[in-house]
Amino acid sequence: MARIRPPIFRPALLVIDMQNGYCTPGGSYEKYGGNIGADLDAYRQIISNVSRLIMTSRELEVPIFYTQQVREESGIDLFTRLHRIVPERRAEFLRIPACVRGTWDAGIIDEIKPTNNDHIVIKRRDSAFQDTELDLWLRSIYVDTIICTGVDTAICVENTLTDAFNIGYDVILVEDATASSWQKIGQATLRKVAGSYGWVLKTDQLIQLLRSCQHRAGAFRFPVD
């Protein structure tokens, strides 16, 4: 764990791409992801921990941002439209669009449905910061620390987290509230984040940390050692 700690910090919880298409039986990932070795079970195993973090965040007035990765039905925004070199795993389930905008597939899973007080960030690429309003929204409420959860650890979570770090946010990756269908690569992300970007904590550790801090209106103060 990094040794430097800000005395006061303002966190936001980021729930990345926990959508029916990726995390629910009958979604695109289950239907077409077998061609790329998709593992729906790995994604579903984190739902309970993500839910616990959402409930804790609401209780402690930590703002919550959900991301939705969407595609157009026409396929105009697929990677295969722009790149000549696309790894098979990134070829949109072999050129079948997943999470088409406005469909059930693109919706947030029922187990962690957002409320009217939460925020939805629509994205079309891996990072939640690329061509979205996320940075503007975070800065408008003085957030300085990003808590990352969701899928996939090695792709959208990692890209979002590194972008956040590089534009000035402190970052926390919740190890057992993120999941990857590429286990070795996901583990590499955890090591990379812990060594180069921020903290890697488990759900219980993070909840204990937040509860141990003095907090008011979204601002948290670390306890004195």
Side-chain angles (χ1 to χ4, degrees):
M1 182 182 292
R3 295 179 181 177
I4 297 175
R5 305 187 307 190
I8 297 176
F9 65 106
R10 291 180 176 272
L13 178 67
L14 197 55
V15 181
I16 299 174
D17 297 358
M18 296 292 288
Q19 297 163 250
N20 292 317
Y22 302 125
C23 301
T24 301
S28 292
Y29 207 55
E30 184 181 59
K31 286 181 180 179
Y32 310 117
N35 297 314
I36 59 171
D39 185 359
L40 183 72
D41 290 340
Y43 287 180
R44 292 196 61 78
Q45 286 173 6
I46 67 169
I47 293 174
S48 61
N49 283 337
V50 174
S51 178
R52 290 172 60 208
L53 288 170
I54 289 171
M55 289 188 291
T56 300
S57 295
R58 288 179 180 151
E59 176 189 344
L60 300 180
E61 300 183 60
V62 174
I64 303 169
F65 292 79
Y66 291 77
T67 74
Q68 282 182 280
Q69 175 117 333
V70 301
R71 293 285 182 260
E72 293 301 311
E73 188 173 5
S74 66
I76 192 171
D77 49 358
L78 295 181
F79 286 113
T80 49
R81 293 273 187 166
L82 299 174
H83 297 279
R84 293 193 179 100
I85 302 172
V86 184
E88 188 172 276
R89 278 181 172 264
R90 303 308 310 276
E92 304 291 337
F93 310 126
L94 303 184
R95 297 170 182 81
I96 298 172
C99 295
V100 171
R101 181 169 56 90
T103 65
W104 170 87
D105 210 50
I108 305 297
I109 62 174
D110 288 339
E111 293 90 336
I112 56 168
K113 281 289 188 186
T115 70
N116 290 336
N117 293 323
D118 302 324
H119 314 280
I120 308 293
V121 179
I122 301 297
K123 68 186 185 73
R124 296 178 184 273
R125 288 296 180 258
D126 295 342
S127 173
F129 288 95
Q130 182 177 341
D131 301 322
T132 74
E133 304 92 344
L134 180 58
D135 184 44
L136 172 64
W137 290 353
L138 292 171
R139 294 187 190 281
S140 74
I141 56 174
Y142 308 107
V143 166
D144 55 29
T145 303
I146 307 298
I147 300 168
C148 286
T149 68
V151 298
D152 185 288
T153 308
I155 308 175
C156 294
V157 174
E158 179 175 335
N159 277 276
T160 296
L161 184 146
T162 55
D163 276 359
F165 177 86
N166 283 313
I167 59 176
Y169 294 95
D170 287 321
V171 293
I172 300 171
L173 178 60
V174 190
E175 178 178 352
D176 55 358
T178 61
S180 178
S181 61
W182 311 347
Q183 293 301 319
K184 290 183 179 179
I185 302 177
Q187 287 298 315
T189 294
L190 298 177
R191 292 193 293 273
K192 184 192 301 185
V193 171
S196 300
Y197 295 110
W199 289 351
V200 176
L201 303 177
K202 293 192 174 181
T203 299
D204 287 340
Q205 291 176 303
L206 178 59
I207 291 175
Q208 181 179 3
L209 171 67
L210 293 175
R211 291 192 181 283
S212 70
C213 295
Q214 297 178 5
H215 58 88
R216 181 179 179 183
F220 289 73
R221 181 185 294 275
F222 280 103
V224 177
D225 290 332

